[in-house]
């Protein structure tokens, strides 16, 4: 008989991301990037060196582009530096490592017998 995972089993621990840069998607389409310094059970986050990606006013699904001061005829995504931030957990939609993600075993998949 295949063993079922307990509802309290941890699939992925956010503790692995402490003191590392992360991307956070928020309700309303906002996105921020920063170094994770702390969190709690309500998923409130403390981020350092936080940068918010500015959204295009005409199309909120796109990031705003501005001319690159270092490269002529190039556009870069506009960001706004926020510094140290506390992000309320009820606003968090998605948290991911800044430098990509890793593949984990499907915790809900059927086990082979």
């Amino acid at each position: 008989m295949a063993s079922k995972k307990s509802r309290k089993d941890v699939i992925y621990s956010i503790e692995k991301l402490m003191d590392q840069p992360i991307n956070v998607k928020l309700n309303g389409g906002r996105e921020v990037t920063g170094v994770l310094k702390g969190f709690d059970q309500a998923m409130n986050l403390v981020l350092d060196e936080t940068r918010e990606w500015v959204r295009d006013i005409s199309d909120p699904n796109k990031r705003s582009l501005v001319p690159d001061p270092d490269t002529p005829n190039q556009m870069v995504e506009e960001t706004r530096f926020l510094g140290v931030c506390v992000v309320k957990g009820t606003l968090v939609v998605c948290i991911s490592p800044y430098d990509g993600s890793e593949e984990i075993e499907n915790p809900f998949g059927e086990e082979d017998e």
Side-chain angles (χ1 to χ4, degrees), residues 5 25 27 35 50 59 66 69 71-72 79 85 98:
K5 288 205 180 268
K25 289 191 178 192
N27 261 350
V35 177
T50 310
D59 186 358
V66 294
T71 311
T79 61
C85 284
Y98 183 75

Side-chain angles (χ1 to χ4, degrees), residues 1-4 110-113:
M1 179 165 117
S3 66
K4 300 265 182 181
E110 299 278 329
E111 290 186 20
D112 293 333
E113 294 191 33

Side-chain angles (χ1 to χ4, degrees), residues 59-89:
D59 186 358
N61 294 324
K62 293 183 180 175
R63 291 181 176 170
S64 178
L65 297 176
V66 294
D68 186 355
D70 300 326
T71 311
N73 302 325
Q74 290 285 349
M75 300 294 279
V76 293
E77 294 176 335
E78 185 178 5
T79 61
R80 179 172 69 158
F81 185 74
L82 303 175
V84 177
C85 284
V86 176
V87 179
K88 188 170 176 160

